[in-house]
Amino acid sequence: MTGHTDMGIKVLGVNHRTAPLDVRERFTHGAHEVPGALARVMAAGATGGVLLSTCNRTEFYLVADDEPVLDAVWSLLGERLETKPPGGAREYGYIARDREAVRHLYRVSSGLDSMILGESQIQGQVREAWEASRAQAGPVLHRLFQTALHVGSRVRTETGLGMGTASAASAGVAVAGKIFGDLDGRSALILGAGDMAELAAQCLSDQGVQVTLVANRTQERARAIAERLGGTAVSLEEAWPHFATTDIALCSTAAPHAVVTWERVGAVISARRGRPLCILDLAVPRDVDPAIAQLENVFLYDVDDLQTVAAQATARRRDEVPAAEQIVEQETDLFWAWYGGLGVVPTIKEWRQQMETLRAAELERALRQLPHLSPDDRARLEQFSQALLNKFLHQPTVALKQAAEQGHGYGLLEALRRLFGLEPPA
Amino acid sequence: MIVTLHLIALALYGLATALVLAPFLGGRPAPRALTIALPCAGAAFHVIAIAQLTPIGLGPALSMLAFCLVLLQLVSERLLRGSAVSFFAGPLATGLVGLAILSGLTPGNQVGGSGTQSAWFILHVVLSALGLALMALAFIAAALYLLQFRELKSRRFGQVFQLFPPLERLDQLNRFALVAGFPALTIGVLLALGYGAQFSGGLHAAKAQIVWGLFTWVVLGWAVWVRVVRRWAGRRAALASIAGFGAVLLVYVALKLVQPGAGRFL
């Protein structure tokens, strides 16, 4: 039972800092896989578990002993590796315990631990993980995730950590916004149908931009994106006349040279009568002839420009990290105070009451077998049993209270409840 | 009392301007609530002061113009959801209040007459000041437009890119200011004519005042015409607004140099 004294909050996982993408991809759990994975971990002895799995991290939040639960998780993750390193999945992972585990989740939900500092998507992913694991989370993790969402909101409200745009695609949206203001109802033409084009087109669509045309050499792929975003698929040659009407042109083809040339669109753009045209060239090598930027009211941005915008946003966000970390520390202290004192007083009371009932019953039984004792002797025996019980209970009570003050009370209380068959806390 | 209230307004406008300009000097952007609350507080003191003014002479006219500008700045801030207009309107309004105090806020004995306290006259002054302030706002929007345009074209993404509003909103603000300013100034001019007819001899309007008033009205009318009838927009419209406002300002300075003194607006 010594293992139970290690029971506490733990986080074990891999993230973008510890594992390359091809490894992280293998560890990623779909929503349908979460219950099965958690069931295995619970079967190994965890009393609570939440699995947070995104493209940048797979983390098990547990209330458990170190052994054998952590081994079970490493083993579960290790099974997913195609090529197994000598140390298995552990080689890519990390473990944080107790206060550090709490702090870790708070940093994750705040976006402090994200690949793109301050990104807000993680907040929704933390919520989804919590909701998907509710049945197995247990009271401690339930509270931990609830507060983690609160911490994430506080950081985004009280600091500038979420300010600006931090990816090239969202930087494109920001730049277009600086030209047109409200993007709702604006039209966009997409050249190319690769992942980058699709991601950027989705970013525009999320802002209310109507993706009217998707032009690509391969019609099939263009059609798939166009259908998803509510546009029409056309060939590249059919796209050139639309430069006269579209507000935004997003170019991300795999062509080895510029496809949007002066010859193809120069005259068409001149017919716009000064209406601004924002061209986002996300391709490398570039899709758009830089000479087109010389046209009045044509705003042309390539990947370098957009990464500059994104980098500036990241730099501004970095200035906000100390303020965000301060909030994380404050909230970690609050949680730790709650967790440390969780159930200590009522459990000790219940335990002492149980011992007292036992003492009284045993004393009565003994006194029935010793009817010759004088009242003074009976009183002395009563006193002795009381003193003996107090001596037995003193040290464990002090140890429990001390552990609670240091935030380690939960594991000891679990052990006490199991050893003495006490009721679990409400 | 009038001067004290103006000094308080000046301090509050100045403080708000300093806070708004801080990011350009390497400082952190001030909380938005503060950059709105300070000019609001300044405007509150200012309006009390204006209520006690006799609207004759350079000082009161500048004070009235500054007050209209601050009000328009606050409305624009609301519309643009940013402090960009304050970058220009703040220093301009602060400067105008400062000049008003220096010029003297009480009219000289040589001007005025029986009609200077009439509703017609006050309405003329208020509408003319509002028309001019709207013209100034159109100039500010145009200047912001050209700066943001240059930033976007040159792909610099500096403070102008971050802090200034989108091009289209600035273009809309410029158009709105011109279209709203023209009727205000037109009514102001018509009231002056009507007022002159009713109180002949009551107001000694100088030729310079009439020349400048009509010149301003023509320039503003031209700016509205090119925007509304000729459908100019964007950079060309911004340049037209700046040229128009610049011409109005230059003519005023030239006329003022010919006929110096603070007793009259001109």
Side-chain angles (χ1 to χ4, degrees):
Chain A
M1 297 298 285
T2 52
H4 286 297
T5 55
D6 295 332
M7 178 165 277
I9 303 172
K10 292 170 178 69
V11 56
L12 175 158
V14 298
N15 68 16
H16 57 95
R17 287 199 191 83
T18 62
L21 180 60
D22 57 328
V23 172
R24 295 203 306 273
E25 279 171 350
R26 297 210 154 263
F27 290 152
T28 303
H29 285 67
H32 63 285
E33 297 174 293
V34 171
L38 282 177
R40 271 183 68 176
V41 178
M42 303 294 275
T47 59
V50 174
L51 172 54
L52 172 63
S53 187
T54 72
C55 55
N56 283 327
R57 67 183 67 245
T58 295
E59 290 176 336
F60 284 84
Y61 290 85
L62 304 166
V63 175
D65 304 326
D66 265 8
E67 303 292 340
V69 178
L70 302 193
D71 286 339
V73 177
W74 288 129
S75 152
L76 187 150
L77 291 175
E79 288 165 14
R80 293 176 161 245
L81 287 171
E82 196 173 40
T83 317
K84 291 183 175 55
R90 279 174 212 266
E91 290 212 359
Y92 299 110
Y94 48 85
I95 301 174
R97 294 178 174 82
D98 300 323
R99 201 175 189 286
E100 274 311 299
V102 174
R103 189 168 166 273
H104 178 82
L105 178 61
Y106 286 178
R107 294 186 81 252
V108 167
S109 66
S110 306
L112 282 164
D113 200 52
S114 296
M115 187 182 267
I116 296 167
L117 183 66
E119 57 100 2
S120 57
Q121 204 183 359
I122 187 67
Q123 179 94 339
Q125 290 165 332
V126 168
R127 181 185 295 281
E128 282 164 19
W130 173 39
E131 281 170 359
S133 313
R134 270 195 184 202
Q136 291 105 328
V140 173
L141 292 184
H142 179 77
R143 169 92 174 202
L144 178 62
F145 273 74
Q146 195 177 30
T147 52
L149 293 173
H150 167 68
V151 176
S153 299
R154 262 197 78 188
V155 166
R156 285 180 181 84
T157 312
E158 295 175 26
T159 74
L161 196 72
M163 273 191 321
T165 52
S167 70
S170 54
V173 172
V175 170
K178 279 291 177 185
I179 297 165
F180 299 111
D182 193 359
L183 293 180
D184 196 14
R186 298 281 172 184
S187 61
L189 157 66
I190 315 294
L191 294 188
D195 290 344
M196 188 59 165
E198 187 175 4
L199 176 68
Q202 187 62 55
C203 278
L204 288 171
S205 182
D206 291 345
Q207 297 298 314
V209 174
Q210 289 183 329
V211 177
T212 50
L213 289 174
V214 181
N216 197 42
R217 294 213 183 276
T218 321
Q219 286 280 301
E220 200 177 317
R221 178 94 177 118
R223 205 168 293 125
I225 298 176
E227 275 172 19
R228 198 154 42 250
L229 299 173
T232 311
V234 294
S235 68
L236 285 175
E237 283 66 32
E238 289 172 293
W240 310 134
H242 295 279
F243 275 76
T245 51
T246 192
D247 294 310
I248 300 164
L250 199 155
C251 310
S252 183
T253 76
H257 49 74
V259 289
V260 183
T261 58
W262 185 278
E263 292 75 29
R264 282 175 173 151
V265 297
V268 176
I269 294 174
S270 299
R272 295 175 63 89
R273 293 172 56 93
R275 257 183 349 107
L277 168 65
C278 175
I279 304 179
L280 304 172
D281 186 356
L282 302 178
V284 178
R286 287 178 292 180
D287 275 344
V288 185
D289 178 0
I292 288 172
Q294 290 166 13
L295 285 166
E296 171 100 5
N297 287 7
V298 169
F299 300 90
L300 170 63
Y301 303 100
D302 59 26
V303 165
D304 279 359
D305 298 325
L306 299 178
Q307 277 174 351
T308 304
V309 175
Q312 283 177 348
T314 306
R316 279 195 302 281
R317 287 179 178 191
R318 281 196 201 293
D319 292 342
E320 300 294 322
V321 167
E325 293 280 14
Q326 201 176 352
I327 291 172
V328 166
E329 284 307 317
Q330 284 170 7
E331 294 287 343
T332 305
D333 286 346
L334 282 176
F335 181 86
W336 207 239
W338 171 82
Y339 177 66
L342 185 69
V344 163
V345 173
T347 304
I348 290 177
K349 201 173 160 186
E350 188 190 343
W351 177 48
R352 292 188 77 106
Q353 185 63 50
Q354 192 185 54
M355 292 296 103
E356 174 58 28
T357 308
L358 201 63
R359 182 199 67 81
E362 288 304 310
L363 179 69
E364 197 185 330
R365 198 160 65 87
L367 288 175
R368 267 204 307 272
Q369 290 166 4
L370 300 166
H372 59 279
L373 291 181
S374 68
D376 278 356
D377 290 339
R378 293 171 79 91
R380 210 161 288 133
L381 204 58
E382 163 98 35
Q383 215 173 11
F384 165 75
S385 68
Q386 191 72 60
L388 191 65
L389 181 66
N390 284 342
K391 292 268 183 204
F392 280 144
L393 297 186
H394 175 71
Q395 186 51 36
T397 305
V398 169
L400 266 171
K401 286 183 175 170
Q402 278 177 349
E405 280 165 12
Q406 291 161 10
H408 300 295
Y410 190 75
L412 281 178
L413 282 177
E414 274 293 301
L416 191 73
R417 284 193 198 103
R418 288 192 197 184
L419 285 169
F420 291 93
L422 303 175
E423 288 289 314
Chain B
M1 183 65 176
I2 291 174
V3 175
T4 309
L5 287 168
H6 271 84
L7 283 171
I8 295 170
L10 178 70
L12 290 166
Y13 293 159
L15 191 57
T17 304
L19 287 177
V20 162
L21 294 177
F24 288 97
L25 305 169
R28 284 174 68 90
R32 186 163 151 68
L34 197 61
T35 60
I36 290 177
L38 283 172
C40 276
F45 285 101
H46 202 162
V47 76
I48 299 169
I50 284 176
Q52 299 171 37
L53 277 177
T54 304
I56 298 286
L58 183 62
L62 292 179
S63 175
M64 184 78 78
L65 188 59
F67 178 70
C68 289
L69 200 57
V70 170
L71 287 187
L72 290 173
Q73 171 196 328
L74 290 168
V75 172
S76 308
E77 298 291 289
R78 178 90 186 147
L79 293 175
L80 295 173
R81 296 187 285 272
S83 302
V85 172
S86 313
F87 297 138
F88 282 72
L92 192 56
T94 309
L96 287 172
V97 175
L99 273 175
I101 295 168
L102 289 173
S103 306
L105 291 160
T106 47
N109 294 330
Q110 75 280 18
V111 293
S114 57
T116 55
Q117 291 300 325
S118 78
W120 279 56
F121 181 75
I122 290 168
L123 203 59
H124 152 70
V125 172
V126 169
L127 284 172
S128 301
L130 184 64
L132 282 175
L134 281 161
M135 202 175 175
L137 181 66
F139 162 78
I140 289 168
L144 291 172
Y145 182 97
L146 291 180
L147 288 170
Q148 181 69 289
F149 183 90
R150 199 179 62 166
E151 191 86 347
L152 285 164
K153 276 298 251 186
S154 62
R155 313 171 193 186
R156 268 205 293 267
F157 312 117
Q159 292 284 27
V160 169
F161 172 78
Q162 300 296 340
L163 299 173
F164 283 22
L167 287 180
E168 292 249 331
R169 284 212 198 117
L170 290 169
D171 192 47
Q172 286 163 4
L173 181 66
N174 171 269
R175 189 179 198 280
F176 162 79
L178 290 174
V179 170
F182 184 65
L185 193 66
T186 304
I187 297 170
V189 170
L190 289 174
L191 281 172
L193 294 172
Y195 170 84
Q198 190 173 349
F199 297 97
S200 56
L203 178 74
H204 305 288
K207 276 183 183 167
Q209 212 166 349
I210 296 165
V211 168
W212 187 73
L214 286 174
F215 177 74
T216 305
W217 183 78
V218 168
V219 168
L220 187 54
W222 170 77
V224 173
W225 180 71
V226 296
R227 282 229 62 151
V228 177
V229 181
R230 300 293 306 273
R231 296 188 179 278
W232 285 14
R235 194 160 166 262
R236 193 151 61 147
L239 287 170
S241 289
I242 288 172
F245 187 74
V248 167
L249 213 59
L250 274 175
V251 170
Y252 176 83
V253 171
L255 290 170
K256 198 69 195 164
L257 286 173
V258 172
Q259 201 173 12
R264 282 187 172 280
F265 176 57
L266 258 176

